[in-house]
Amino acid sequence: MTQKTNIQSYITIQNNEIVLNGTSVFKIEPTDFADFSKQAYRNFDVQYPKFFKMDALSKLAFLGAELLLSPITSGEQENNIALVLANKSSSLDTDVKYQESISDQENYFPSPAVFVYTLPNICLGEISIRHQLKSENSFFIFDAFNTEFMSNYSNILLNSNKADVVLCGWVEFFNDDYKAFLCTISKEESTKYTNETINTLYNQ
Amino acid sequence: MEALKLELKNKIITTLNLEDIAVEDIADTDALFGDGLGLDSIDALELIVILDKDYGIKLVDPKEGKTIFQSIESMAAYISANRTK
């Protein structure tokens, strides 16, 4: 029997601001994403030096996941949280940077640290390592946030007991233009967002 | 040799994005991997690129890296003895 699923929490990161469950929790004067993400990391006192080695897409996904998953994950027990993310530009921002770094045959020194981020699903790996997840994860590429697909996919994972919680959403980054919308969905009763669909919250 | 060690510390911090680490936090004999500076396998590959790009040293046998990249001191000694630029 298909059980109703509910959005438990959601987060939006765009325009130098982080909004958690409808409340602005971090906002700074306009700056580039590198500076914004570093300041956000410091503001939330995240202790994870590997953050600084990540590419922009992974930093964006990591920050969103950090605020949603830290309160509900524990290092002592297995966290059966599936990750289902999507975006439009894949890892193109890093792909372009990597391509530029290897375009000069006279100065050909490919960077392994940049190369490892030339796939969009690497951000899922970063989140999984951080929160000790060994669960289902998928990254999709769409022209726009396909809320129906993402919602259906998450519901299937929950109703087939593949996951207790699904972290689902959109993480788009290209040329310093970014937006992340992530939400946690589970079968747990929730009165917080009963009438809102992912689409409504995404477009807020 | 002291200048080279300082140069290496700066290069490692910048190239490997060690945001919360300053030059003075790295002792010459500190282990670069494991319990020391905590570098990982991707960092090891970046160190190989630094040797090639900045000092003209191509590591033919990656296993050599274990000895060379033990500390700033061992790196500086190897570079001094083998650099071509």
Side-chain angles (χ1 to χ4, degrees):
Chain A
M1 192 183 110
T2 304
Q3 220 178 314
K4 187 178 181 303
T5 62
N6 299 295
I7 295 170
Q8 304 297 330
S9 289
Y10 71 97
I11 191 166
T12 307
I13 306 176
Q14 64 180 340
N15 302 326
N16 307 293
E17 185 176 20
I18 301 178
V19 177
L20 179 63
N21 296 323
T23 304
S24 178
V25 291
F26 181 70
K27 187 178 184 180
I28 59 170
E29 291 299 309
T31 182
D32 59 25
F33 180 75
D35 183 41
F36 167 75
S37 60
K38 190 192 289 188
Q39 289 200 48
Y41 173 93
R42 302 264 188 240
N43 179 71
F44 294 109
D45 197 26
V46 183
Q47 301 293 323
Y48 197 67
K50 194 172 186 292
F51 175 81
F52 296 106
K53 295 171 182 282
M54 295 177 196
D55 75 339
L57 179 65
S58 287
K59 282 180 178 167
L60 182 60
F62 179 94
L63 282 173
E66 187 68 15
L67 296 187
L68 289 183
L69 298 187
S70 288
I72 61 169
T73 54
S74 142
E76 285 91 57
Q77 63 186 49
E78 194 167 323
N79 302 297
N80 191 12
I81 301 171
L83 306 176
V84 185
L85 300 184
N87 76 2
K88 180 182 181 183
S89 301
S90 182
S91 56
L92 190 59
D93 190 77
T94 299
D95 297 349
V96 168
K97 287 189 176 85
Y98 184 71
Q99 200 278 332
E100 284 169 355
S101 77
I102 59 170
S103 57
D104 181 1
Q105 288 301 313
E106 301 301 311
N107 193 31
Y108 187 80
F109 297 104
S111 164
V114 177
F115 177 73
V116 292
Y117 289 102
T118 57
L119 282 173
N121 56 329
I122 300 304
C123 67
L124 301 178
E126 296 290 8
I127 296 168
S128 297
I129 293 166
R130 169 62 166 168
H131 298 282
Q132 299 291 299
L133 309 179
K134 296 168 187 162
S135 33
E136 295 280 330
N137 66 67
S138 303
F139 198 105
F140 298 95
I141 314 294
F142 293 119
D143 271 341
F145 189 32
N146 187 336
T147 52
E148 191 182 347
F149 176 91
M150 299 298 275
S151 182
N152 286 341
Y153 198 95
S154 301
N155 289 342
I156 289 167
L157 286 171
L158 293 166
N159 277 302
S160 59
N161 295 318
K162 296 276 187 193
D164 300 328
V165 176
V166 176
L167 176 76
C168 158
W170 180 257
V171 277
E172 166 68 10
F173 189 101
F174 185 59
N175 273 345
D176 226 43
D177 193 13
Y178 60 92
K179 176 169 182 173
F181 167 79
L182 303 174
C183 60
T184 49
I185 305 173
S186 76
K187 288 188 277 191
E188 195 180 315
E189 288 290 322
S190 172
T191 53
K192 286 186 283 188
Y193 309 111
T194 46
N195 297 322
E196 285 107 333
T197 63
I198 295 175
N199 198 36
T200 317
L201 295 173
Y202 173 77
N203 288 309
Q204 269 183 354
Chain B
M1 185 71 99
E2 290 310 307
L4 178 58
K5 286 179 189 171
L6 181 62
E7 183 179 294
L8 284 172
K9 288 176 188 177
N10 277 311
K11 267 188 210 298
I12 286 174
I13 288 170
T14 308
T15 311
L16 306 184
N17 294 309
L18 304 181
E19 183 73 18
D20 294 324
I21 292 176
V23 164
E24 49 273 23
D25 297 331
I26 310 173
D28 294 352
T29 52
D30 278 353
L32 296 180
F33 294 86
D35 290 338
L37 212 48
L39 303 186
D40 61 22
S41 56
I42 301 296
D43 294 326
L45 295 174
E46 284 293 338
L47 293 180
I48 292 174
V49 174
I50 289 176
L51 284 191
D52 188 7
K53 186 178 178 182
D54 299 337
Y55 304 104
I57 300 170
K58 283 193 190 298
L59 275 194
V60 184
D61 180 6
K63 287 178 196 155
E64 280 185 288
K66 202 172 177 183
T67 319
I68 300 163
F69 300 134
Q70 222 158 35
S71 64
I72 291 291
E73 194 161 85
S74 59
M75 262 188 96
Y78 185 81
I79 290 169
S80 293
N82 296 281
R83 67 190 301 171
T84 60
K85 61 178 178 185

